[in-house]
Each structure stands twice: as C-alpha cells, then as structure tokens.
Amino acid sequence: MSHIDIEDIANALCVLCMVLGLRLTNRLDALAFWVLLLRVCMVFFTNDVLFPVSYMPDQLRYIRCAIMYRGEPSEWCMRFGYAVTVSSAAKVFAAFPMPFMVSVRSTSLVNMTLVIWMYLLLHRGGFLTEESRKFFLLYPSFILYSAIGVRDIFILLSMMMALYFLFERRQFLLGLACTYPLMFIKPQNFFMILVPFALTALAGESRGRMIMTVVLGFIFTFAMLLGAGYLGELNTYRANFYLEDGGMGQVELLSASPYLAIQLLSSAIGVLLMPMPWQAGGAFQLIQSVENLIVGAIVFAYWRRQPKPGMENKFLNLKLFLFSSMMIYGAVIFNYGTAARYRFPFLLLFVLFADRMTIAPAKKPKLDKTAKKTS
C-alpha cells in the first residue's frame, strides 16, 4: 500500500465528521449513513491498492494542476496539463473547500463530498424513491469512480442539475445554465445534454411534435453522415480510438449504406454491456461484466415501464438522451474501462429520472397460506 499523507487523513476525518453530523441530525438514515461512510473509506482502497494510480493517469494531472492553482499563478498547467478540460477541472478541485490538496486522495475526497451533497439534495427534496435511492447508493461503477480523483463527478453533477431543472422544476433557462461547466470540463457531454433541451424547446408537451421532431432528427443525423461527408470523419475517430485502446489490425468501419443504422444500434447496445463475460480478460473485468448484466437488466426494466400521465414526452425525451449518447460513444469506444467510466453517469441519471417519470409495476399480492388451508 502506498504512503498516506497525514493531510489526507485530516481531509477524510472532516468528511467523516460531516457524515456523522448528518446522521446525528437525522438527515441520513441508517442505510445511507453506513454506505456513505464506507464509500468515504473506499477512497483509501482504490489507488495503489486495487490498482496503481497510473491505471487512470489523468488523476495525476488534476492534482498537480490543483496544487499549482492553490499556490501562486503558474503556466505549468497549460504547458503540461495537456488540455483546457484538465485545467478547468483542476480549478474546481482547487477552489473546493477541502482543507488540504496533496494527493489524488485529496481530489477523491472532494468527489465523495459532492456525492454526499447530491444525495442530500435528491433525497431530502423528495426526488428519490426507495428503489432509486438504493441504486444511487449501491451502483458499483458509481462507487468506484467517486472514490478516485477524476472529473467524472463534476460531469455527473452538471448533467444531473441540468436535467433536474429541465424535467422536475420546468426551469428551462436555469437548466441550460447548469450545462455551461461542461463546455470546459467535457465538451462532448455538453452537446449530448443539449438533446433533451432541444427536444423540449421544439416539441413542448405535444406528442405529435415530439414524434415529428425525433423523426426529423434522425433524418438530419443520417443526412449529415451520409450526405455531408461526416461519416468519414467519424470513421477516422473510430480508427484512432481503436488503435489507442490497443486494438490490432483494422477496425470495422461504419458503412455508407442502409446497414449503418444497424451498426449504430448494435454499437449503442454494445457500449452498454461491454465487456460480456466471455470478453473478460481477468477477475476485475469478469466482475464488471456481471455488473453490466445486472445494471443492463435494470435499465431495460425501466425502459419498458409506462410513463405517468403527462410524462409521456419527458420519458421519451429521456430515452432518446440515453440512446443518442450511447450511440455516439458506441461508435468510437473500444476500451472496456473507458466505456464503464463514460457510461455510468448516463445510466445513473436514466434510472433516477425514469423512476420518477414512470409507473412502478404492481407487486403481486402475497398469498395468505392460512386462508388457503381454510378454504
């Protein structure tokens, strides 16, 4: 196990005291208290324990830039941070009121603090049901990526607040404002989150306009790919990602034919489930494949639910948000770890909001054995 800085122990004690204080003031029930307590401790069992820090090297760039930003102004981040996105995320880490910023565990504890705040916002606001609450607390990929020092929790928070104000509060402009940080932290997610806003603006509450907008949207997408030459550019990204992810030989390119729709659909489903058990290259990936099957079944069950009265357009909008995002990622991602990291915010948000928008299946009444014997 790597050396643990005394400053990070102090950081962890601050977060643990916050969790304990929330429990003592009845803001957390027993399940949430113990799960969040363990998730804070999980920070010390990821990097250099379950895997080396180098497994996700961008963590090092975030913490180095954050340390610089807490000190005197420096051009180091622009010269060695490699991207504006890294610098932007590092500024958020640096500005966060965490006492010390010394290692990747410091930025990981920032992420865990944000997760606790998100839980309080959703649960205390009455947004979570018992099912969605347990999914929020126990979703394995969410547990993992909130216990390391990456930008993904910032991305999740921005998208969650955008959808919350759009769907729950019906405050379009405020929701749109929440997408602004994504322009600097992860621009591709910014464009993905614009899909539900565009559909809301164009279709509103009209079912007919929603269907027409969706059909025109697909026609426009395929026209841009096939007619405007963007398919070649997409294939270039596809080939580059394939080589970067360790692929050998040539990847199958997307074809300029009616078969393209099938390729994109299969890619969207594939990125949701990769790796399958037979694709697992070790114990970690095998566990991940089991998680994929379970979470995939949960997502499919929510997908098939009936929307609540008046929620038809919103639920269709949410489905299209998930599908379009997975279709884009499925077209270019081949690495199992990258797929898990990119998709978990979308799957988490889909389950949380779908649970809010749909009618839960009726539970079968338990058979009274005593009454049965009597009859």
Side-chain angles (χ1 to χ4, degrees):
M1 184 173 178
S2 66
H3 169 72
I4 298 177
D5 296 285
I6 189 69
E7 292 92 342
D8 276 332
I9 295 176
N11 286 337
L13 288 174
C14 290
V15 182
L16 290 171
C17 285
M18 179 182 71
V19 175
L20 181 60
L22 293 170
R23 173 60 176 160
L24 293 176
T25 54
N26 295 318
R27 288 179 171 83
L28 294 177
D29 63 10
L31 176 64
F33 170 71
W34 288 110
V35 170
L36 292 174
L37 201 68
L38 291 172
R39 288 181 67 167
V40 173
C41 296
M42 183 73 178
V43 166
F44 295 92
F45 294 94
T46 50
N47 285 300
D48 288 334
V49 179
L50 290 176
F51 45 77
V53 176
S54 58
Y55 184 69
M56 298 182 191
D58 52 334
Q59 295 182 88
L60 297 173
R61 297 200 288 269
Y62 297 133
I63 184 59
R64 287 169 182 166
C65 283
I67 291 172
M68 288 289 181
Y69 282 127
R70 282 205 173 186
E72 60 184 26
S74 171
E75 292 297 317
W76 187 91
C77 291
M78 297 307 297
R79 289 189 291 118
F80 299 103
Y82 300 106
V84 173
T85 55
V86 173
S87 178
S88 300
K91 288 178 181 178
V92 180
F93 279 124
F96 196 87
M98 186 63 67
F100 304 101
M101 194 63 57
V102 293
S103 76
V104 292
R105 294 188 179 92
S106 306
T107 47
S108 302
L109 287 165
V110 170
N111 283 335
M112 264 313 305
T113 305
L114 288 174
V115 168
I116 294 167
W117 288 357
M118 277 191 276
Y119 176 79
L120 288 175
L121 170 68
L122 296 175
H123 185 55
R124 300 288 294 180
F127 181 84
L128 298 177
T129 65
E130 188 61 21
E131 285 184 3
S132 61
R133 184 175 80 96
K134 289 178 180 177
F135 191 79
F136 183 97
L137 291 172
L138 302 173
Y139 180 17
S141 286
F142 184 30
I143 292 174
L144 173 63
Y145 291 108
S146 60
I148 57 177
V150 291
R151 61 183 173 171
D152 298 78
I153 301 304
F154 298 157
I155 296 166
L156 170 64
L157 177 60
S158 182
M159 292 199 300
M160 185 193 78
M161 296 308 299
L163 294 181
Y164 180 79
F165 284 114
L166 176 65
F167 291 140
E168 189 73 11
R169 295 293 185 87
R170 299 185 179 183
Q171 295 178 333
F172 186 93
L173 293 179
L174 189 54
L176 197 60
C178 291
T179 68
Y180 180 72
L182 292 172
M183 293 179 64
F184 305 97
I185 296 176
K186 198 172 183 185
Q188 59 265 47
N189 282 47
F190 169 74
F191 291 107
M192 291 176 186
I193 199 69
L194 289 183
V195 170
F197 283 88
L199 289 175
T200 300
L202 293 172
E205 300 295 329
S206 170
R207 186 69 171 176
R209 286 206 307 272
M210 173 63 80
I211 294 173
M212 184 180 296
T213 302
V214 171
V215 171
L216 292 175
F218 276 107
I219 292 174
F220 175 78
T221 299
F222 282 96
M224 293 296 290
L225 290 174
L226 299 176
Y230 282 95
L231 184 63
E233 188 172 345
L234 182 60
N235 275 326
T236 300
Y237 282 110
R238 183 177 171 86
N240 290 340
F241 271 97
Y242 181 72
L243 293 175
E244 288 177 12
D245 290 337
M248 302 297 293
Q250 293 291 324
V251 66
E252 179 189 3
L253 298 180
L254 300 174
S255 59
S257 69
Y259 181 60
L260 176 62
I262 298 174
Q263 285 182 301
L264 292 175
L265 177 60
S266 60
S267 296
I269 296 173
V271 80
L272 284 171
L273 298 175
M274 68 169 65
M276 297 298 284
W278 56 85
Q279 296 173 316
F284 184 77
Q285 288 186 359
L286 183 61
I287 294 171
Q288 191 177 62
S289 68
V290 174
E291 177 200 325
N292 292 343
L293 293 175
I294 296 172
V295 174
I298 293 172
V299 170
F300 180 68
Y302 275 101
W303 187 282
R304 293 180 67 247
R305 280 191 182 186
Q306 292 299 312
K308 294 176 181 177
M311 290 284 185
E312 293 83 1
N313 271 18
K314 289 183 179 180
F315 189 43
L316 178 58
N317 200 340
L318 183 68
K319 286 181 175 181
L320 289 167
F321 167 61
L322 177 65
F323 176 75
S324 61
S325 302
M326 292 304 99
M327 187 173 65
I328 293 169
Y329 278 139
V332 296
I333 291 177
F334 301 91
N335 182 275
Y336 300 148
T338 303
R341 181 173 167 182
Y342 283 12
R343 73 182 168 228
F344 93 86
F346 294 92
L347 297 183
L348 178 64
L349 291 173
F350 178 79
V351 171
L352 296 185
F353 283 92
D355 187 71
R356 188 76 174 166
M357 297 175 182
T358 59
I359 301 170
K363 294 182 179 179
K364 294 182 179 179
K366 294 182 179 180
L367 186 63
D368 190 336
K369 295 182 179 179
T370 306
K372 185 179 179 181
K373 289 179 180 179
T374 304
S375 61

